[in-house]
């Protein structure tokens, strides 16, 4: 089929290497939002690209944009991880404690805990709502690109995004408004 | 429905503008006043989602993943015996070479080598543009070193900039946003890669780094003044800043291109992309300027590396902070007061640097100089974090040992470093930068020097060689680092007719035997256990004395007690809310009242607040730490059991911090294993621990 031939295979290698350079961070961020453990997210993000190597054939058969395919692979990696680990509750990060003692400890810890709550509330949304928020705001895809990953129309994604944000807002209440959005620190444009 | 759909579209537009283009929420809300309240709420929620999940994977993880990927690609190609490998075995050596072959093959397939060359002028939307991109990827993959990679990104930055200008003149506006993103990406990568070597040099030169850090914070500092004051030393520091300077010129060119483009682009999306890129380039140049100022400071700072070769008698560096606008000098010369001599068995009292003289940096030290009198062998330095999360310590003084030499700051707590002098290997003298403590901080590495003075032993002081007591001890010194509790030493009989011995030690040390008799060359192994529960935090220097009828010999003992490792069995303030620790200066970490060190008032307040917000508290007596282990992802899992049978699992982690955090938390919880109380704060409706608080009993 289309994948025959050395030329094609070598091109795949170049394309995957490029895909990695462009998307590793976003994939890691996307996964981190779903598994809550940053080291694990970094590992799984690495695995995603290995999976891509194995399954580049399926990408070509599906005829979807590469980015959409990559995030579908990432999505599957997360699901597989949970299946393997049996959703064991290990609690992540005592960062709240580690953060204490900095410039304004109570405020910083409060911020951290608020963010933890946001994260926690996200987990209570339904699967598609979680996915749309992760793809839009964490992986930084446009609504059109999100639609390609989720196999939905652009309009459907926008509507889903609205309901997801609304549901999240309902879970969090006005707590969210106490979050400070200072100047961007380490985080890059999503 | 239509209205709702319309709102979904408006929301989407605002999300794009706020999250991806960096506009303020107010700007977008102002355009849709009829939806103001709802838009504001949902935008805040979306920002919260972005913020709650924001993180940048570590460079190490990224590089490791890249290696794994390339390794897999290599193996796959070898396994499948791709055509190229068979046809040109020499090219099958690695995929990098193989990818080079792609370009060759592409060229052949497409007709002539001229095709690749021809493609180099192609633009997005041209048939040959993909060929050009493949060739570029090849170059990136072939870039082995950081420097090469930086150069490739810099060249691609130029190329994309030219393309950006070209597509707009040809009416291919739709490619502008994509090109703008690529340019931004190349600029960021080139910047990071070019800055890295400079920052590494900064990190290795403590004094210059100090000067540089203060210079970087004040970009308007007249560099020429610094040059006059301190010309570049002959054979001085080589700063690899050329690449940075070149990149700066490139960004300069890019800025003017963007200025020209602003009026040329027509589409709304293109305009926004150009504006976003302009902002990003401005940011990028600011950062570059900061690093260049560091490089500049290094070029013209006195050669601080010279200190390494300075004789011990040298006085403190006279002009280590040449920057005229530099914050008050942080070298020992400004406030060098000899550290208080610490008699054995007495914990050191940190003097603390006053907030007025200490610029807000990575951390502050309890002392700026240490002085070892003739009979002293142990001192301590307290490092109190300000903005730093990690620290390391080095010494250049012969015979001096630091325990530990690196670590992470946990919960903003000060860390104590034991400074131990081995008199046998010591050379008396004055060492201007005898100990260097380096911490990380948002500004970059921050180094502080501690002056060390080693005085010669008084003539009367016996050398630490074994006294003719009829026994010899080995080793002659025991040092208990943070969580060590048990060590052994050996007593060997040397008196021809045998000798009786008795050992004596301070109450916090338990000896497995305290008397006996030894024939010549017979040995007794004595285990020394330390009971930290009766010790105040700090450094305790004492000795086990082995006495015989013929004389006495000492085994020197140094015990380090961390504030956090103190068990809570000691009485403390009932509510722990005395305003004492958090807000006050570095000198207030008084090592004496052990139990009052925790929980800090801060922790208390947070706990109360959390409860109000619906966090569930579990409070109980700890009956055991059932497991402490690495969970395979670089995190440490701690399983604890409470009296009511509740089992709680918590994990602490981060690959670098894990080891040290593990020690600290394990000790803290393990000390409570016998019945201390903990408060675990759980998230609403989940068994996820948000916070562990160790409480006073």
């Amino acid at each position: 089929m289309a994948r025959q031939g050395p030329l094609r295979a070598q091109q795949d290698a170049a394309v995957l290497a490029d895909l990695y350079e462009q998307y590793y961070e976003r994939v890691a961020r996307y996964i981190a939002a779903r598994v809550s453990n940053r080291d694990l997210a970094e590992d799984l993000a690495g695995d995603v690209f290995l999976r891509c190597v194995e399954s580049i054939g399926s990408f070509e058969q599906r005829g979807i944009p590469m980015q959409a395919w990559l995030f579908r692979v990432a999505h599957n990696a997360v699901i597989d991880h949970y299946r393997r680990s049996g959703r064991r509750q290990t609690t992540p990060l005592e960062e709240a404690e580690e953060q204490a003692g900095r410039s304004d400890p109570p405020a910083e810890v409060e911020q951290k805990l608020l963010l933890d709550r946001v994260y926690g509330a996200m987990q209570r949304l339904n699967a598609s709502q979680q996915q749309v928020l992760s793809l839009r705001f964490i992986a930084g895809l446009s609504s059109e690109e999100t639609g390609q990953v989720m196999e939905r129309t652009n309009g459907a994604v926008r509507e889903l995004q609205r309901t997801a944000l609304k549901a999240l807002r309902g879970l969090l209440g006005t707590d969210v408004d106490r979050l400070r959005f200072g100047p961007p620190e380490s985080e890059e444009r999503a | 429905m239509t209205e709702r759909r319309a709102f979904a579209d408006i929301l989407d537009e605002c999300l794009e503008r706020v999250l991806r283009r960096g506009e303020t929420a107010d700007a977008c809300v102002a355009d849709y006043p009829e939806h103001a309240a709802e838009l504001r709420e949902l935008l805040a929620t979306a920002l919260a989602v972005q913020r709650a999940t924001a993180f940048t994977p570590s460079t190490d993880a990224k590089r490791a993943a890249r290696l794994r990927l390339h390794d897999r690609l290599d193996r796959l190609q070898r396994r499948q015996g791709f055509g190229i490998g068979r046809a040109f075995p020499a090219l099958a050596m690695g995929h990098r070479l193989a990818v080079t072959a792609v370009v060759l093959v592409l060229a052949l397939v497409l007709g002539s080598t001229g095709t690749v060359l021809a493609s180099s002028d192609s633009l997005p939307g041209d048939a040959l543009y993909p060929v050009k991109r493949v060739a570029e990827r090849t170059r990136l993959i072939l870039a082995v070193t950081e420097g090469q990679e930086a150069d490739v990104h810099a060249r691609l930055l130029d190329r994309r900039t030219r393309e950006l200008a070209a597509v707009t003149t040809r009416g291919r506006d739709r490619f502008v946003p994509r090109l703008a993103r690529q340019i931004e990406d190349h600029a960021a990568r080139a910047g990071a890669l070019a800055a890295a070597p400079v920052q590494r040099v900064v990190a290795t030169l403590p004094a210059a780094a100090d000067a540089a850090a203060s210079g970087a914070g004040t970009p308007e500092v007249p560099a020429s003044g610094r040059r006059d004051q301190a010309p570049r030393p002959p054979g001085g520091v080589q700063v690899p800043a050329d690449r940075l300077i070149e990149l700066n010129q490139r960004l300069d060119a890019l800025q003017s291109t963007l200025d020209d483009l602003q009026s040329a682009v027509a589409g709304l999306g293109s305009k926004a992309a150009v504006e976003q890129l302009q902002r990003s380039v401005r940011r990028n140049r600011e950062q570059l300027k900061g690093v260049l100022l560091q490089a500049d400071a290094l070029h013209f700072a006195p050669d601080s590396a010279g200190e390494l070769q300075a004789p011990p008698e040298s006085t403190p560096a006279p002009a280590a902070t040449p920057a005229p606008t530099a914050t008050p000098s942080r070298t020992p010369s400004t406030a060098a007061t000899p550290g208080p001599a610490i008699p054995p068995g007495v914990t050191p009292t940190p003097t603390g640097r006053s907030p007025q003289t200490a610029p807000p940096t990575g951390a502050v030290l309890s002392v700026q100089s240490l002085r070892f009198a003739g009979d002293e062998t142990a001192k301590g330095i307290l490092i109190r974090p300000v903005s730093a999360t990690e620290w390391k310590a080095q010494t250049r003084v012969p015979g001096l040992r630091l325990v530990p030499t690196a670590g992470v700051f946990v919960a903003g707590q000060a860390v104590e470093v034991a400074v131990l002098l081995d008199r046998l290997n010591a050379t008396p003298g004055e060492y201007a930068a005898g100990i260097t403590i380096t911490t990380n901080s948002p500004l970059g590495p921050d180094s502080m020097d501690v002056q060390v003075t080693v005085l010669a032993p008084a003539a009367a002081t016996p050398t630490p060689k074994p006294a003719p007591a009829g026994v010899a001890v080995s080793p002659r010194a025991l040092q208990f680092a943070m969580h060590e509790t048990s060590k052994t030493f050996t007593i060997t009989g040397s008196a021809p007719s045998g000798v009786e011995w008795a050992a004596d030690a301070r109450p916090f040390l338990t000896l497995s035997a305290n008397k006996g008799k030894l024939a010549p060359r017979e040995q007794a192994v004595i285990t020394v256990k330390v009971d930290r529960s009766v010790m105040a935090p700090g450094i305790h220097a004492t000795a086990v004395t082995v006495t015989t009828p013929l004389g006495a010999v000492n085994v020197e003992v140094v015990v380090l007690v961390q504030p956090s490792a103190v068990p809570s069995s000691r009485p403390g303030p009932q509510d722990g809310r005395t305003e004492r620790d958090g807000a006050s200066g570095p000198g207030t970490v008084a090592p004496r009242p052990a139990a009052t060190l925790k929980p800090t008032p801060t922790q208390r307040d947070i706990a109360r607040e959390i409860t109000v917000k619906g966090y569930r508290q579990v409070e109980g007596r700890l009956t055991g730490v059932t497991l402490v282990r690495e969970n395979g992802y670089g995190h440490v899992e701690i399983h604890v059991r409470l009296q009511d049978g509740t089992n709680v699992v918590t994990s602490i982690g981060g690959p670098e911090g894990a080891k040290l955090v593990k020690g600290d938390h394990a000790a803290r919880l393990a000390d409570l294993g016998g019945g201390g109380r903990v408060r675990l704060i759980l998230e609403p409706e989940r068994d996820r621990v948000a916070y562990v608080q160790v409480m006073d009993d």
Side-chain angles (χ1 to χ4, degrees):
Chain A
M1 108 171 37
R3 296 211 63 255
Q4 295 304 313
L7 172 60
R8 193 55 196 241
Q10 302 301 332
Q11 270 184 316
D12 285 351
V15 166
L16 285 171
D18 187 54
L19 195 69
Y20 164 85
E21 297 298 338
Q22 277 193 46
Y23 286 102
Y24 173 81
E25 290 197 4
R26 288 211 252 167
V27 168
R29 223 171 281 156
Y30 170 78
I31 295 176
R34 318 293 296 275
V35 301
S36 85
N37 178 324
R38 295 176 171 201
D39 295 325
L40 175 60
E42 287 174 344
D43 281 356
L44 286 179
D47 292 345
V48 165
F49 289 91
L50 300 185
R51 283 175 179 228
C52 287
V53 174
E54 305 299 339
S55 61
I56 189 146
S58 76
F59 159 64
E60 289 171 1
Q61 286 155 24
R62 286 185 200 187
I64 53 171
M66 197 151 211
Q67 177 181 252
W69 169 67
L70 173 66
F71 280 99
R72 280 187 205 172
V73 174
H75 179 73
N76 292 339
V78 172
I79 290 175
D80 287 352
H81 161 70
Y82 277 123
R83 203 172 288 150
R84 271 200 313 273
S85 63
R87 275 197 180 267
R88 201 167 118 266
Q89 287 281 356
T90 57
T91 62
L93 313 174
E94 274 183 57
E95 278 179 6
E97 189 168 355
E98 287 170 26
Q99 295 267 340
R102 305 253 178 101
S103 51
D104 186 6
E108 283 197 20
V109 175
E110 191 205 350
Q111 289 286 303
K112 164 70 186 142
L113 291 173
L114 273 173
L115 292 174
D116 277 357
R117 277 202 60 197
V118 174
Y119 173 81
M122 260 183 84
Q123 313 305 307
R124 293 167 60 195
L125 300 177
N126 71 37
S128 358
Q129 286 174 337
Q130 281 187 41
Q131 201 184 359
V132 79
L133 295 186
S134 304
L135 289 170
R136 283 287 281 126
F137 310 133
I138 299 157
L141 305 192
S142 69
S143 47
E144 192 183 344
E145 292 162 337
T146 303
Q148 288 162 347
V149 181
M150 297 182 69
E151 297 176 273
R152 293 184 188 225
T153 64
N154 193 353
V157 167
R158 290 176 182 198
E159 184 56 25
L160 182 60
Q161 157 180 283
R162 189 192 66 80
T163 52
L165 283 176
K166 196 124 184 107
L168 191 62
R169 178 77 191 189
L171 289 170
L172 292 167
T174 53
D175 277 359
V176 176
D177 300 328
R178 289 211 309 281
L179 275 172
R180 292 188 308 252
F181 299 106
E185 300 136 47
S186 64
E187 64 254 319
E188 305 167 0
R189 182 179 55 84
Chain B
M1 184 62 201
T2 327
E3 196 181 312
R4 174 162 293 180
R5 169 56 60 80
F7 176 72
D9 291 346
I10 291 168
L11 175 65
D12 194 64
E13 181 200 320
C14 284
L15 288 167
E16 282 293 310
R17 285 167 61 179
V18 175
L19 297 182
R20 305 221 313 172
R21 297 186 216 149
E23 283 186 35
T24 64
D26 288 341
C28 198
V29 169
D31 289 348
Y32 300 99
E34 69 279 20
H35 296 296
E38 196 172 6
L39 271 180
R40 218 179 276 284
E41 280 182 12
L42 299 187
L43 285 173
T45 310
L47 277 166
V49 169
Q50 201 177 46
R51 188 70 194 276
T53 52
F55 97 104
T56 307
S58 71
T59 320
D60 285 349
K62 201 176 165 184
R63 281 191 182 268
R66 183 187 287 126
L67 281 176
R68 276 165 72 206
L69 173 66
H70 285 206
D71 184 54
R72 178 67 62 90
L73 290 170
D74 268 351
R75 274 192 293 151
L76 192 74
Q77 287 170 17
R78 276 200 298 271
R79 195 172 68 217
Q80 294 187 352
F82 281 155
I84 285 176
R86 285 199 298 267
F88 308 99
L91 291 176
M93 289 162 65
H95 82 279
R96 290 184 174 208
L97 284 175
V99 173
T100 318
V102 177
V103 182
L104 291 174
V105 173
L106 263 178
L108 291 172
V109 168
L110 292 167
S112 74
T113 46
T115 310
V116 173
L117 290 175
S119 76
S120 66
D121 292 322
S122 61
L123 290 175
D126 287 348
L128 282 179
Y129 191 71
V131 177
K132 177 181 181 179
R133 296 279 286 153
V134 169
E136 285 173 356
R137 280 167 205 145
T138 311
R139 248 170 250 137
L140 262 176
I141 293 167
L142 286 170
V144 177
T145 66
E146 208 172 55
Q148 286 168 343
E149 212 181 322
D151 290 341
V152 175
H153 279 297
R155 279 204 302 277
L156 293 180
L157 171 72
D158 284 351
R159 190 179 271 194
R160 292 289 97 85
T161 307
R162 283 197 303 272
E163 289 172 359
L164 187 68
V167 293
T168 45
T169 56
R170 294 178 198 197
R172 295 185 195 171
D173 253 8
R174 67 182 188 282
F175 293 107
V176 169
R178 192 196 301 168
L179 284 170
R181 275 202 301 276
Q182 288 168 352
I183 290 170
E184 201 179 335
D185 189 49
H186 286 308
R189 283 162 200 253
L193 289 163
V198 177
Q199 283 165 335
R200 273 198 293 276
V201 173
V202 171
T204 56
L205 298 169
D210 237 2
S214 50
T218 51
E220 69 284 357
V221 64
S224 57
R226 207 180 307 162
R227 274 165 208 170
D228 297 339
Q229 200 169 5
R232 187 181 178 183
V237 189
Q238 286 298 316
V239 182
D242 295 353
R243 202 169 269 124
L244 270 182
I245 293 163
E246 212 183 296
L247 183 60
N248 205 25
Q249 286 164 352
R250 285 184 150 110
L251 291 178
D252 193 31
L254 171 58
Q255 260 184 336
S256 51
T257 306
L258 291 175
D259 291 344
D260 293 343
L261 276 185
Q262 241 191 340
S263 50
V265 288
L268 253 180
S270 308
K271 265 203 190 328
V274 169
E275 276 162 20
Q276 151 96 18
L277 185 55
Q278 275 177 318
R279 278 194 295 274
S280 157
V281 171
R282 254 200 307 278
R283 255 203 323 271
N284 215 318
R285 291 198 79 187
E286 282 303 312
Q287 282 167 3
L288 265 170
K289 201 165 153 192
V291 181
L292 277 172
L293 275 161
Q294 285 187 328
D296 187 51
L298 282 175
H299 261 296
F300 301 105
D303 186 4
S304 56
E307 272 179 33
L308 290 165
Q309 287 89 44
E313 290 74 22
S314 69
T315 49
T321 51
T325 56
T327 38
S329 170
R330 311 177 65 228
T331 60
S333 54
T334 45
T337 48
I342 306 167
V346 176
T347 54
T349 308
T351 57
R353 215 183 312 179
S354 80
Q356 286 74 26
T357 57
T361 49
V364 285
L365 303 184
S366 59
V367 293
Q368 288 157 325
S369 61
L370 291 174
R371 185 185 166 90
F372 285 89
D375 57 345
E376 287 179 321
T377 52
K379 304 262 178 203
I381 301 174
L382 213 58
I383 313 172
R384 187 177 175 81
V386 178
S387 60
T389 53
E390 294 168 22
W391 63 273
K392 62 180 180 201
Q394 289 173 290
T395 178
R396 298 162 190 154
V397 181
L400 207 64
R401 199 162 79 87
L402 305 176
V403 184
T405 54
V408 294
F409 295 111
V410 178
Q413 283 190 17
V415 170
E416 187 138 29
V417 180
V419 184
L420 310 167
L421 185 66
D422 173 4
R423 283 272 169 203
L424 281 180
N425 295 314
T427 312
E430 196 172 286
Y431 301 84
I435 298 171
T436 303
I437 311 279
T438 311
T439 62
N440 64 349
S441 76
L443 282 176
D446 174 38
S447 291
M448 292 163 284
D449 291 337
V450 177
Q451 184 185 7
V452 177
T453 310
V454 177
L455 299 180
T461 311
T463 60
K465 284 176 187 160
V471 289
V473 291
S474 171
R476 288 194 304 274
L478 300 176
Q479 281 143 6
F480 292 82
M482 274 189 282
H483 302 295
E484 292 174 337
T485 53
S486 169
K487 288 191 179 282
T488 58
F489 71 93
T490 308
I491 311 176
T492 309
S494 60
S497 55
V499 67
E500 282 188 4
W501 62 269
D504 187 32
R506 286 171 61 91
F508 54 79
L509 297 177
T510 313
L511 306 178
S512 59
N514 57 13
K515 59 183 178 190
K517 188 170 179 181
L518 290 172
R521 285 197 292 279
E522 193 187 351
Q523 291 191 328
V525 177
I526 311 296
T527 303
V528 182
K529 283 195 175 147
V530 59
D531 176 9
R532 285 190 172 82
S533 70
V534 297
M535 300 169 79
I539 296 171
H540 300 253
T542 175
V544 173
T545 309
V546 179
T547 318
T548 71
L550 302 170
V553 60
N554 279 346
V555 178
E556 203 173 273
V557 177
V558 177
V559 183
L560 189 59
V561 184
Q562 287 277 80
S564 57
V566 177
S568 59
S569 54
R570 290 180 144 223
Q574 277 313 296
D575 65 0
R577 300 192 59 211
T578 42
E579 285 305 327
R580 192 188 50 75
D581 197 0
S584 42
T588 56
V589 184
R592 226 168 359 89
T596 56
L597 275 175
K598 66 179 181 12
T600 64
T602 308
Q603 288 166 338
R604 289 265 167 174
D605 292 341
I606 292 158
R608 204 181 54 241
E609 206 174 330
I610 293 162
T611 315
V612 173
K613 284 183 207 148
Y615 278 75
R616 196 152 59 86
Q617 279 190 33
V618 175
E619 216 175 290
R621 196 164 283 275
L622 201 71
T623 57
V625 177
T626 51
L627 183 67
V628 179
R629 67 160 187 208
E630 302 276 353
N631 68 2
Y633 296 113
H635 278 228
V636 176
E637 262 178 37
I638 299 184
H639 298 213
V640 296
R641 194 185 316 115
L642 299 178
Q643 204 170 26
D644 64 355
T646 319
N647 280 299
V648 182
V649 180
T650 179
S651 90
I652 297 160
E656 292 94 10
K659 272 181 232 135
L660 284 143
V661 173
K662 177 183 178 179
D664 184 62
H665 279 259
R668 198 190 302 185
L669 292 170
D671 279 347
L672 292 169
R677 276 170 64 219
V678 287
R679 176 182 291 165
L680 305 167
I681 293 152
L682 306 180
E683 285 199 0
E685 295 167 42
R686 304 179 75 209
D687 280 338
R688 210 182 96 141
V689 178
Y691 206 79
V692 174
Q693 186 181 6
V694 175
M695 301 170 70
D696 294 328
D697 232 355

